[in-house]
């Protein structure tokens, strides 16, 4: 039986260990009475099909991982030797890039006059020639490597951070919000990533797809649709439990979610904040909600040094096994993706798409899940409730709806953080109920799949192992959970990228090896390039 604040130093017998020889990363699950079958299945599918298949060209790997289209449709080459250093440039007017480039001058800041690499892209058939490596640029954005050029913008000195977290438990929200507003001053003037939703990664990938369709060798490219059963987009609701008062409100919060048919996840802090009892965890799990780990003690120091992180990661991993948790989120969304190999979780939810209102500025510039080694990253793509209520001083769903509209148009993941600690007050609670009703309405219209984070993780892992093969005059999907997947087609119509899903009985004449149909795509009514 689980005891409150248990140090988690007991030994456990390994039941599954999967070792990936190429990079010696390891996914290990230890026995626990709280590991459910679905968690076990999701966690043990961590070795991606891309790692088991023959090594692909690194330049097109991000594109192929994203669209899951046959490799023969996308061959990328470089026009020359990349620069020794990295900097900013653009790929068309709406996509700021950061990385090395073979041509043009690289800028130190996103606000500088940027070289447009799109002007130097060439190609024929299914081969495109770039002055940059698309996969490297996308990795730089997702992993926030451009943050090195921010010159400390938005950073808090270690002394101030230590002092703040020392007294934070004693500070009421009315005091904390004023301190945070001071720290966040000028956030509206940050030019990159784009507020309130940044779609840079998606725009780059869509532009690559449009360029492949432009040469005229094919007018349609098949790929595996992003979400199960043809859902246009996805949404997840998550609740970070920060205080004992918030813990006491969890039952009522589950009632609010259930009233709209929404199953969410609860991220619990293992140490120092409140007792994490067996009955508390079972209450959540019994009602069909998920349990994840939220930091270790939420003191703001998890990523202070690598040595400290590794020590704490060992304890965090043990709590994860003990609680049967497959997912993790750090306190205050602090993160360092280069250290994530030490975390034994199936998915993480610590990286914002846009970090303007977060303690750690930056953002992954994407509204889609992506892999960080063997961990699936589910980015935070909407404004946290605390920031909405106490930094922006807004008690309406207008901003959330604006963000959801942009995300769903790009077929992305709308992920929310709503703390039980901050929706107890009637005005905040009413705002949250309005959000739930809005999401339930989108679902009833068939516009969004509302899922638990673990379900999204399991789907994204399954999709990463699927592939398209041409059989009996049509494209079919092979791989796990293929019965939930649909073939889609991309088509360029009057310079607009459009998607369409393939009907189950769709067949194509043998002479047409690359079938495709027509449907409005991510940027409806706007040129793709």
């Amino acid at each position: 039986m689980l005891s409150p604040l248990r140090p988690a130093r007991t030994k456990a017998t390994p039941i599954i260990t999967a070792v990936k020889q190429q990079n010696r990363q390891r996914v290990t699950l230890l026995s626990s009475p709280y590991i459910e079958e679905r968690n076990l299945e999701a966690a043990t599918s961590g070795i991606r099909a891309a790692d088991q298949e023959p090594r692909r060209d690194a330049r097109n790997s991000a594109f192929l991982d994203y669209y899951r289209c046959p490799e023969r449709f996308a061959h990328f080459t470089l026009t020359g030797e990349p620069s020794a250093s990295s900097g900013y440039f653009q790929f068309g007017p709406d996509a700021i890039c950061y990385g090395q480039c073979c041509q043009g001058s690289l800028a130190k800041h996103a606000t500088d006059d940027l070289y447009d690499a799109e002007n130097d892209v060439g190609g024929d058939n299914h081969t495109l020639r770039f002055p940059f490596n698309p996969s490297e640029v996308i990795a730089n954005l997702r992993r926030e490597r451009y943050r090195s050029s921010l010159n400390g913008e938005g950073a808090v000195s270690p002394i101030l951070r230590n002092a703040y977290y020392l007294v934070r438990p004693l500070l009421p929200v009315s005091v904390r919000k004023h301190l945070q507003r001071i720290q966040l001053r000028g956030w509206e003037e940050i030019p990159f990533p784009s507020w309130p939703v940044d779609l840079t990664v998606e725009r780059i990938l869509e532009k690559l797809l449009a360029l492949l369709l432009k040469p005229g060798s094919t007018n349609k490219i098949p790929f595996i649709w992003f979400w199960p059963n043809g859902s246009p987009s996805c949404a997840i609701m998550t609740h970070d439990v920060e205080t004992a008062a918030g813990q006491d409100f969890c039952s009522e919060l589950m009632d609010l979610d259930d009233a709209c048919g929404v199953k969410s996840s609860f991220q619990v802090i293992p140490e120092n904040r409140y007792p994490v009892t067996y009955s508390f965890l079972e209450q959540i799990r019994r009602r069909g909600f998920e349990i994840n780990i939220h930091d270790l003690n939420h003191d703001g120091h998890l990523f202070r040094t690598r040595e400290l992180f590794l020590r704490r990661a060992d304890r965090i991993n043990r709590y994860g096994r003990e609680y049967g948790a497959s997912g993790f989120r750090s306190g205050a969304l602090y993160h360092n993706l280069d250290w994530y190999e030490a975390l034994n979780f199936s998915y993480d939810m610590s990286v914002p798409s846009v970090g303007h209102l977060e303690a750690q500025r930056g953002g992954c510039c994407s509204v889609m899940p992506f892999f960080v080694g063997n961990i699936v990253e589910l980015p935070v793509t909407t404004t946290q409730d605390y920031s909405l209520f106490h930094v922006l001083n807004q008690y309406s769903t207008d901003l959330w709806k604006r963000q959801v509209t942009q995300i769903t148009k790009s077929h992305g993941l709308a992920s929310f953080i709503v703390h039980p600690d901050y929706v107890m007050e009637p005005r905040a609670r009413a705002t949250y109920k309005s959000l739930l009703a809005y999401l339930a309405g989108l679902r009833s219209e068939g516009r969004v799949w509302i899922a638990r984070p673990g379900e999204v993780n399991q789907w994204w892992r399954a999709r990463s192992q699927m592939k398209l093969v041409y059989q009996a005059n049509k494209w079919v999907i092979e791989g796990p959970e293929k019965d939930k997947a649909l073939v889609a087609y991309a088509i360029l119509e009057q310079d607009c990228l459009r998607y369409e899903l393939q009907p189950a009985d769709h067949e194509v004449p043998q002479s047409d090896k690359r079938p495709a149909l027509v449907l409005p795509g991510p940027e409806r009514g706007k040129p793709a390039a």
Side-chain angles (χ1 to χ4, degrees):
M1 180 172 293
L2 186 63
S3 59
L5 301 180
R6 181 179 171 182
R9 294 181 179 177
T10 58
K11 294 184 178 179
T13 303
I15 55 174
I16 293 181
T17 301
V19 180
K20 186 169 67 176
Q21 296 294 341
Q22 285 184 343
N23 57 13
R24 297 183 181 179
Q25 288 179 330
R26 183 172 60 189
V27 177
T28 304
L29 280 180
L30 300 187
S31 59
S32 166
Y34 307 104
I35 294 181
E36 301 179 66
E37 182 177 353
R38 63 175 179 271
N39 292 338
L40 181 62
E41 180 182 357
T44 55
S45 60
I47 302 219
R48 303 169 55 199
D51 298 320
Q52 299 171 351
E53 295 172 353
R55 188 178 183 86
R56 298 182 304 197
D57 188 333
R59 291 180 289 269
N60 66 6
S61 60
F63 177 85
L64 296 176
D65 285 344
Y66 182 80
Y67 281 109
R68 307 304 301 167
C69 72
E71 186 172 3
R72 61 175 172 167
F73 286 98
H75 296 289
F76 301 161
T77 63
L78 293 179
T79 58
E81 288 295 321
S83 58
S85 60
S86 296
Y88 289 99
F89 59 96
Q90 65 186 39
F91 187 37
D94 59 353
I96 293 178
C97 301
Y98 183 83
Q100 298 170 297
C101 205
C102 304
Q103 297 174 238
S105 298
L106 298 177
K108 292 183 178 180
H109 307 287
T111 53
D112 294 343
D113 187 20
L114 301 180
Y115 157 68
D116 192 345
E118 185 180 9
N119 296 329
D120 293 317
V121 175
D124 53 73
N125 295 323
H126 301 304
T127 299
L128 292 177
R129 294 183 293 275
F130 293 95
F132 65 95
N133 182 339
S135 293
E136 182 225 358
V137 166
I138 289 170
N140 288 344
L141 295 174
R142 286 172 171 169
R143 290 176 172 259
E144 303 170 296
R145 290 175 180 144
Y146 62 88
R147 292 187 69 247
S148 61
S149 67
L150 298 180
N151 297 322
E153 178 184 318
V156 182
S157 73
I159 295 177
L160 289 178
R161 180 190 296 183
N162 292 343
Y164 172 75
Y165 277 100
L166 182 65
V167 300
R168 185 182 186 273
L170 306 176
L171 299 177
V173 171
S174 59
V175 174
R176 284 166 47 200
K177 68 182 181 182
H178 288 298
L179 295 176
Q180 287 158 342
R181 286 173 183 171
I182 293 173
Q183 167 58 26
L184 294 172
R185 280 182 305 185
W187 69 265
E188 308 98 323
E189 301 173 5
I190 301 174
F192 181 77
S194 177
W195 170 268
V197 175
D198 194 281
L199 303 168
T200 302
V201 169
E202 286 71 44
R203 286 171 177 162
I204 292 172
L205 291 161
E206 290 159 11
K207 193 176 293 291
L208 296 176
L209 185 58
L211 288 171
L212 287 168
L213 289 163
K214 272 190 171 182
S217 59
T218 183
N219 63 347
K220 3 185 164 175
I221 293 179
F223 67 97
I224 299 175
W225 187 245
F226 304 111
W227 303 110
N229 304 312
S231 296
S233 58
C234 181
I236 57 174
M237 183 63 64
T238 70
H239 303 303
D240 295 354
V241 186
E242 294 195 347
T243 65
Q247 184 187 38
D248 292 340
F249 190 70
C250 285
S251 179
E252 191 166 347
L253 187 55
M254 286 187 281
D255 291 340
L256 295 178
D257 289 351
D258 274 336
C260 290
V262 173
K263 293 297 185 182
S264 54
S265 70
F266 286 78
Q267 286 64 242
V268 299
I269 302 172
E271 295 185 359
N272 298 348
R273 289 298 184 94
Y274 42 77
V276 181
T277 63
Y278 171 83
S279 59
F280 172 63
L281 297 179
E282 282 304 295
Q283 177 194 24
I284 296 172
R285 206 187 313 275
R286 190 167 50 246
R287 295 185 60 172
F289 294 82
E290 287 182 357
I291 296 168
N292 293 314
I293 302 299
H294 188 29
D295 208 273
L296 180 65
N297 53 26
H298 208 300
D299 67 354
H301 299 318
L302 180 59
F303 292 92
R304 188 179 64 189
T305 67
R306 180 167 174 81
E307 292 72 22
L308 176 62
F309 172 75
L310 291 176
R311 290 198 303 270
R312 292 191 174 190
D314 181 63
R315 291 156 67 188
I316 289 170
N317 291 334
R318 294 182 183 184
Y319 281 117
R321 295 191 293 268
E322 201 171 323
Y323 296 176
S326 296
F328 176 77
R329 174 177 286 146
S330 61
L333 300 188
Y334 287 118
H335 55 276
N336 184 333
L337 299 186
D338 291 336
W339 297 354
Y340 269 34
E341 74 279 357
L343 292 174
N344 288 339
F345 289 89
S346 193
Y347 61 95
D348 174 74
M349 303 183 292
S350 306
V351 182
S353 173
V354 184
H356 288 14
L357 296 177
E358 307 301 339
Q360 179 175 317
R361 292 276 172 83
C364 66
C365 308
S366 177
V367 295
M368 281 293 202
F370 57 93
F371 278 89
V372 180
N374 283 329
I375 294 177
V376 174
E377 184 62 46
L378 305 180
V380 179
T381 58
T382 63
T383 301
Q384 293 195 52
D385 61 335
Y386 180 89
S387 298
L388 183 70
F389 301 151
H390 300 298
V391 177
L392 301 180
N393 197 29
Q394 296 181 19
Y395 286 86
S396 78
T397 58
D398 291 347
L399 176 57
W400 277 334
K401 288 180 178 179
R402 180 183 172 192
Q403 291 173 318
V404 169
T405 298
Q406 290 184 252
I407 293 166
T408 55
K409 281 184 177 179
S410 290
H411 309 294
L413 170 68
S415 61
F416 294 86
I417 300 178
V418 173
H419 302 74
D421 315 78
Y422 307 131
V423 292
M424 291 183 284
E425 181 263 324
R427 187 169 49 160
R429 190 185 314 185
T431 304
Y432 179 57
K433 290 171 69 175
S434 296
L435 172 64
L436 288 173
Y438 171 68
L439 293 175
L442 293 180
R443 179 178 55 194
S444 66
E445 296 169 4
R447 295 167 59 187
V448 66
W449 171 45
I450 301 179
R452 291 176 291 242
E455 294 174 308
V456 178
N457 165 67
Q458 184 172 343
W459 164 255
W460 209 252
R461 288 181 179 280
R463 183 177 179 269
S464 75
Q465 299 179 55
M466 297 177 192
K467 63 179 180 179
L468 279 175
V469 295
Y470 196 72
Q471 295 177 354
N473 299 332
K474 64 181 179 181
W475 290 102
V476 298
I477 299 171
E478 292 184 348
E481 300 193 30
K482 64 181 181 181
D483 56 315
K484 298 179 183 179
L486 291 179
V487 178
Y489 297 94
I491 187 169
L492 198 64
E493 187 178 79
Q494 296 181 347
D495 283 339
C496 291
L497 184 64
R498 301 169 72 84
Y499 297 152
E500 182 161 287
L501 302 181
Q502 173 178 289
D505 59 350
H506 177 69
E507 292 193 3
V508 187
Q510 184 65 35
S511 59
D512 187 355
K513 300 296 184 181
R514 298 171 182 86
L517 305 175
V518 181
L519 180 78
E523 297 292 330
R524 300 185 181 186
K526 295 183 180 181

